[in-house]
Amino acid sequence: MTSQRTAGGARVLARGWGWRHAGRSRWAVRDVDLQIEPGERVLLLGASGAGKSTLMQAIAGVLGGDEEGDAAGTLTIDGLRPADAREHVALVLQDPDSQVVMARLGDDVAFGCENAGVPAEEIWPRVEGALRDVGLDLPLSSSTSALSGGQKQRLALAGAIAMRPRLLLLDEPTANLDPAGVEEVRDAVQRLCRGSEATVVIVEHRVAVWSSLVDRVIVLDEAGGVLADGRPDDVLDGQRAALDAAGIWVRGAASDRVRGQAGAGDSLLTAESLSVGRTPFGVRTVQLAACGIDFAAQRGRTMVVTGPNGAGKSTLALTAAGLLRPIDGRLAATDAFRRGLAPEPARWRSRQLVTRIGTVFQDPEHQFVRSTVRDELAVGPRAAGVDRRSADARVEELLVRLRLGRLAAANPFTLSGGEKRRLSVATAIATRPDLLVLDEPTFGQDARTWRELAALLAELLDDGHAVMAVTHDDAFVRALADDVLELGTTTEPLQSERVEARQ
């Protein structure tokens, strides 16, 4: 680790603490009693919606004031209110987009140090060291708007590390990273732990990556309070049955295939020598993301798109969904799929897209347009001309299937990260489009909600819909993939291949 030792870690103390968002009858988290000692490394677990992110934001002192919700009990950092201890705390949020504040990569990493009053001569060595630690090997002048979601996660972690905090809070820091990126981020945190006395709290659903690094596991109970608290082996192995019942991803849990291998279905969308790219904010020229791509999206089949962060996966997904124009090559819908429209999906209007292609963005918040979960789910069916009775039935089914019923009247922006992801997938499914284009559809899910999402997609595939999914989730690939398209940095033609040929 390039940083110097951080002066002692911080102590976190909660007594009967809870939080309820304004306008909500249900507490997001409540009755939390815990004490985290200086220098401890803690893995914080819990079912999706158990309040993990809410607790992390509260510890960081950024949860909001009285007008944004109601608090109960006490929560302190070294005896101070969290708002008074912010200079010693660094938080990496689930959504890295929400933490990008500067146009250039180096300036963004330096931002926290500058605000904390770090001497000018120390800032840039810290910036360069932090970027090396997280494996973000790009020029300091790089545009932050041109980064992929995974690269932005590394950027956010680099900014936190550069501050040399006494308390580092990481909320699903590897959610959108490729396998190599997961290892780099874990190793960067491990170096921080070895080179400092900082207290570290990590929220993750998948425990295998972090269980050897932490010395304590705390599990929040979605009904309130703490379900389990102790040494990693004592909690993860000794209380395995209780954790499994609560939806926690226990070590060694298998994710079996949820449907048989599909046969060749009718093609909906084909690509030949396709090149994709986009124009980042503040940049005048289109930047090439990937080229030479061949694939066919077929009814009843799932094509997963894999590859390292920055390989162009999300850009390809947006292009396939008709939201970006191809740079070169051919992307065309078949006659039966386009039903009288132009061959290129990018030329279709939104009302023409809605029943043909459903899209789930990497960032769920980018697609929310209504003030309640129920109304959000109804947007697509109404735009598609579905009668009210049928639309309401679809909405109710999705609320139940994806465990969103108790949140029907909630504002989508107040949901947890996993709940937002399920809602975004549900909004795409609600119109029952022929083709679903999903970008990281399973991030933030506990074991139960993951299985429910997988089962729902399997049913759609059995009914003849097609799925194209960008993912780093190996369990999703094993459970649902029929074809794999792996993107990389090569300019050689890239073709999807059938999973059967790889096994």
Side-chain angles (χ1 to χ4, degrees):
M1 180 82 184
T2 56
S3 61
Q4 301 172 358
R5 290 183 68 82
T6 301
R11 174 180 286 107
V12 180
L13 179 64
R15 288 291 177 259
W17 186 83
W19 175 265
R20 179 172 57 190
H21 293 285
R24 299 267 287 271
S25 60
R26 187 178 184 273
W27 290 80
V29 58
R30 63 178 181 173
D31 300 329
V32 174
D33 288 298
L34 59 82
Q35 183 168 325
I36 300 174
E37 297 296 340
E40 278 194 303
R41 277 74 194 211
V42 175
L43 181 61
L44 181 64
L45 303 176
S48 177
K52 303 181 297 298
S53 295
T54 301
L55 178 57
M56 294 282 269
Q57 291 171 34
I59 294 172
V62 297
L63 190 55
D66 293 340
E67 70 281 358
E68 296 184 45
D70 302 314
T74 61
L75 179 65
T76 60
I77 312 298
D78 288 334
L80 301 174
R81 294 187 315 121
D84 297 327
R86 288 175 184 158
E87 63 182 287
H88 303 301
V89 182
L91 170 65
V92 177
L93 296 168
Q94 280 181 327
D95 174 15
D97 267 327
S98 64
Q99 293 185 260
V100 176
V101 295
M102 304 296 286
R104 296 187 300 183
L105 181 144
D107 294 339
D108 197 83
V109 179
F111 182 80
C113 294
E114 291 170 343
N115 279 273
V118 175
E121 64 273 13
E122 293 184 24
I123 291 178
W124 289 103
R126 289 195 190 191
V127 168
E128 292 170 351
L131 287 169
R132 283 195 299 271
D133 285 338
V134 301
L136 194 54
D137 185 19
L138 293 171
L140 297 180
S141 59
S142 298
S143 169
T144 54
S145 66
L147 301 181
S148 70
Q151 289 170 325
K152 288 177 181 176
Q153 281 185 301
R154 299 192 202 197
L155 176 65
L157 179 60
I161 289 175
M163 292 176 64
R164 299 179 185 170
R166 295 180 57 213
L167 174 58
L168 177 62
L169 307 171
L170 305 176
D171 194 351
E172 300 211 43
T174 64
N176 292 321
L177 294 180
D178 57 64
V182 170
E183 292 184 7
E184 287 174 343
V185 165
R186 181 202 59 208
D187 292 347
V189 176
Q190 190 169 45
R191 286 192 290 272
L192 173 71
C193 291
R194 290 172 179 169
S196 82
E197 298 172 351
T199 306
V200 180
V201 182
I202 304 164
V203 168
E204 277 282 6
H205 279 288
R206 304 299 179 92
V207 304
V209 174
W210 301 101
S211 57
S212 63
L213 184 148
V214 300
D215 46 43
R216 182 179 174 188
V217 173
I218 299 173
V219 184
L220 294 185
D221 191 332
E222 60 182 330
V226 174
L227 178 65
D229 183 358
R231 294 168 52 86
D233 289 344
D234 293 341
V235 172
L236 298 176
D237 297 329
Q239 302 190 49
R240 185 183 181 94
L243 298 187
D244 186 53
I248 309 300
W249 284 100
V250 294
R251 290 190 293 205
S255 47
D256 299 326
R257 189 161 184 87
V258 299
R259 64 191 299 263
Q261 292 286 349
D266 294 336
S267 291
L268 299 179
L269 192 66
T270 59
E272 297 176 3
S273 300
L274 179 67
S275 295
V276 298
R278 66 172 88 188
T279 306
F281 179 78
V283 179
R284 294 185 177 181
T285 57
V286 175
Q287 294 189 356
L288 179 68
C291 63
I293 303 168
D294 296 334
F295 70 80
Q298 297 175 295
R299 289 191 182 278
R301 297 184 69 87
T302 298
M303 181 179 70
V304 298
V305 183
T306 65
N309 294 120
K313 302 183 298 297
S314 294
T315 304
L316 173 60
L318 292 172
T319 305
L323 302 178
L324 290 176
R325 292 187 179 278
I327 292 178
D328 198 6
R330 183 174 182 270
L331 179 69
T334 60
D335 291 344
F337 178 36
R338 58 191 175 95
R339 301 191 289 274
L341 301 181
E344 304 85 4
R347 294 175 60 187
W348 300 351
R349 297 180 182 276
S350 58
R351 286 184 178 273
Q352 296 167 334
L353 278 169
V354 71
T355 57
R356 292 172 173 82
I357 305 178
T359 309
V360 172
F361 299 146
Q362 189 175 61
D363 182 347
E365 294 186 353
H366 288 175
Q367 61 194 96
F368 295 154
V369 296
R370 291 290 185 268
S371 60
T372 71
V373 168
R374 185 185 300 279
D375 288 345
E376 191 69 47
L377 286 171
V379 168
R382 289 173 185 170
V386 177
D387 67 87
R388 188 177 186 87
R389 188 178 209 176
S390 298
D392 289 346
R394 291 187 191 182
V395 168
E396 289 301 323
E397 178 188 7
L398 289 168
L399 286 172
V400 172
R401 290 290 301 273
L402 295 179
R403 295 178 181 263
L404 296 170
R406 61 181 175 78
L407 299 166
N411 187 311
F413 292 93
T414 67
L415 304 185
S416 73
E419 290 164 347
K420 288 176 183 175
R421 171 48 78 210
R422 295 202 300 282
L423 175 58
S424 65
V425 174
T427 59
I429 291 174
T431 59
R432 299 181 180 172
D434 297 289
L435 171 62
L436 277 168
V437 179
L438 312 173
D439 198 341
E440 299 290 357
T442 56
F443 87 73
Q445 301 310 305
D446 62 42
R448 289 177 305 182
T449 56
W450 187 96
R451 287 191 289 265
E452 286 154 359
L453 271 174
L456 188 54
L457 292 174
E459 291 174 17
L460 289 169
L461 290 161
D462 290 341
D463 287 341
H465 300 260
V467 172
M468 178 179 182
V470 171
T471 187
H472 292 299
D473 184 354
D474 288 338
F476 183 90
V477 177
R478 290 193 298 272
L480 282 171
D482 298 299
D483 307 289
V484 174
L485 174 62
E486 184 173 1
L487 300 189
T489 57
T490 178
T491 57
E492 294 297 318
L494 299 165
Q495 298 181 348
S496 64
E497 54 186 25
R498 297 192 183 280
V499 169
E500 297 96 317
R502 303 169 72 241
Q503 296 179 334

